[in-house]
Amino acid sequence: SLLFTNTDDHWTWDIPDILSRAKKSSPSTQQQQEPLRVLIITTSLVEYDKGTRGTTHGFDRLKHVMLPPLVDSVTSMTSRGWHVDVYLILGYKSLAPHRRQLIIDALPPGVGLEVWEDAIPLYYKNSFNKRPKADQALTNGDHALSRQHRFVLRDKLQYYDFFVGFEDDMRITAEHVLEFLELSNDIYQLYGEALSSSVGQVVVGSDGKAVQPPPLVNRHKSSDGASVGNDIIHDPIGVEHIKRLFPGLLRVEVLDRKSDHPLRQTGVLDNHRFVKEHPPSPNAFSAVGGESLLDP
């Protein structure tokens, strides 16, 4: 539910309302308030790994790579009372009925599932910024599978409040969604503050709130040779610039725990400052057909 305000550029969203529903949603309050509606859109290029990029040929990617983070993500959201559906964009020709049932059985009750099979877009190879040759044939653009998110978003826009679109090995939980909405709301509030300011600008204080009126900034000479002083972060920010702000997520890679993984070989990641062991979520070990989804 996107609601535009009466501003001339129709930019702002009804973010406060969506954030409020996300925070208040719970199984006990669903009867009094419509739950937040979330659609998780996941792209998956192959059903079984090809053996490239450190993978094992024939390894069941759907069951052991895609399902664990997907189930964990969905469960974190449904436990808050949100209404969640899943849309899979697959790069392979078809999803067998028993494999589809495997996914349905792993997801929490009430979660809808829709599948787009054989979704890889076509393109002319080596035709960037030039016309293709007269006899050139279209070929699969494996690299462009993630672009298909936009078509699903267009078709489903009016039916959901929030969309989560990522690849099949990404774990995005309700906590990530709430953090995104919180920061979106902060930006929304800054936008309102800037609009109401006589100069159309605000300064963001250390607490993330707007400081009015914007203080005068005393320039000092750059200490690192930059053309702009290091105090530029204390400058006021205007309406047009605030409109360009969106929260972002920092992707963190998780390696396989197997000792023979290529990236765990001696000398590859030794003493890397960002390496930290992190145990998988217990939800990832939920059993389907008596077997754990996640291969420890």
Side-chain angles (χ1 to χ4, degrees):
S1 3
L2 301 180
L3 179 64
F4 294 112
T5 66
N6 293 324
T7 55
D8 293 336
D9 54 17
H10 298 289
W11 170 79
T12 51
W13 304 338
D14 191 18
I15 296 175
D17 175 67
I18 295 177
L19 175 59
S20 174
R21 290 169 55 198
K23 285 184 172 182
K24 294 181 180 178
S25 292
S26 67
S28 61
T29 61
Q30 279 190 9
Q31 300 300 323
Q32 294 78 26
Q33 185 181 37
E34 181 182 358
L36 188 73
R37 301 168 300 174
V38 179
L39 180 64
I40 296 179
I41 310 171
T42 299
T43 56
S44 185
L45 185 60
V46 295
E47 186 174 4
Y48 297 91
D49 281 331
K50 297 180 178 180
T52 57
R53 301 178 68 181
T55 63
T56 302
H57 183 269
F59 183 74
D60 194 338
R61 184 176 184 87
L62 183 153
K63 184 175 183 180
H64 296 301
V65 175
M66 185 188 78
L67 266 185
L70 178 62
V71 171
D72 202 17
S73 299
V74 173
T75 302
S76 72
M77 298 178 192
T78 56
S79 64
R80 298 188 65 93
W82 299 354
H83 174 84
V84 182
D85 292 325
V86 173
Y87 195 113
L88 299 181
I89 303 176
L90 305 180
Y92 39 98
K93 292 296 182 180
S94 62
L95 182 67
H98 74 280
R99 299 286 278 178
R100 182 188 182 102
Q101 191 61 48
L102 173 71
I103 300 172
I104 293 175
D105 292 343
L107 294 172
V111 174
L113 175 65
E114 192 168 350
V115 180
W116 179 3
E117 302 166 315
D118 196 16
I120 298 178
L122 301 175
Y123 83 119
Y124 290 105
K125 193 174 182 179
N126 299 325
S127 61
F128 176 72
N129 212 23
K130 60 182 179 181
R131 295 182 64 84
K133 299 178 181 179
D135 60 346
Q136 187 172 356
L138 287 165
T139 185
N140 284 338
D142 295 1
H143 61 283
L145 182 62
S146 60
R147 298 182 185 178
Q148 308 299 61
H149 280 121
R150 55 186 174 151
F151 297 111
V152 178
L153 180 62
R154 177 198 62 190
D155 293 342
K156 306 293 185 179
L157 189 60
Q158 61 181 317
Y159 303 111
Y160 296 91
D161 304 301
F162 197 90
F163 295 83
V164 178
F166 287 93
E167 298 176 357
D168 60 2
D169 58 350
M170 301 292 290
R171 177 179 176 269
I172 304 297
T173 66
E175 287 69 29
H176 293 108
V177 174
L178 286 170
E179 185 67 25
F180 184 95
L181 288 174
E182 289 273 13
L183 188 51
S184 296
N185 190 59
D186 290 342
I187 296 172
Y188 173 87
Q189 298 298 333
L190 284 178
Y191 181 75
E193 294 274 3
L195 280 179
S196 62
S197 171
S198 59
V199 294
Q201 296 177 328
V202 292
V203 170
V204 182
S206 58
D207 59 353
K209 306 300 181 182
V211 178
Q212 288 192 346
L216 295 176
V217 177
N218 295 318
R219 284 276 174 252
H220 65 76
K221 184 178 179 180
S222 171
S223 60
D224 56 6
S227 58
V228 179
N230 296 316
D231 50 8
I232 191 68
I233 60 172
H234 300 299
D235 271 10
I237 183 171
V239 172
E240 290 302 317
H241 290 96
I242 295 176
K243 287 164 57 178
R244 303 173 188 173
L245 299 178
F246 290 92
L249 296 176
L250 180 64
R251 174 171 174 164
V252 178
E253 296 283 350
V254 178
L255 299 181
D256 196 308
R257 289 174 172 272
K258 295 180 179 178
S259 59
D260 60 348
H261 191 283
L263 294 180
R264 289 192 177 272
Q265 295 178 4
T266 303
V268 178
L269 290 175
D270 291 355
N271 302 318
H272 195 286
R273 60 176 176 158
F274 296 119
V275 169
K276 180 180 179 181
E277 291 290 339
H278 186 77
S281 167
N283 292 332
F285 290 95
S286 57
V288 174
E291 182 181 357
S292 173
L293 288 175
L294 191 62
D295 181 6

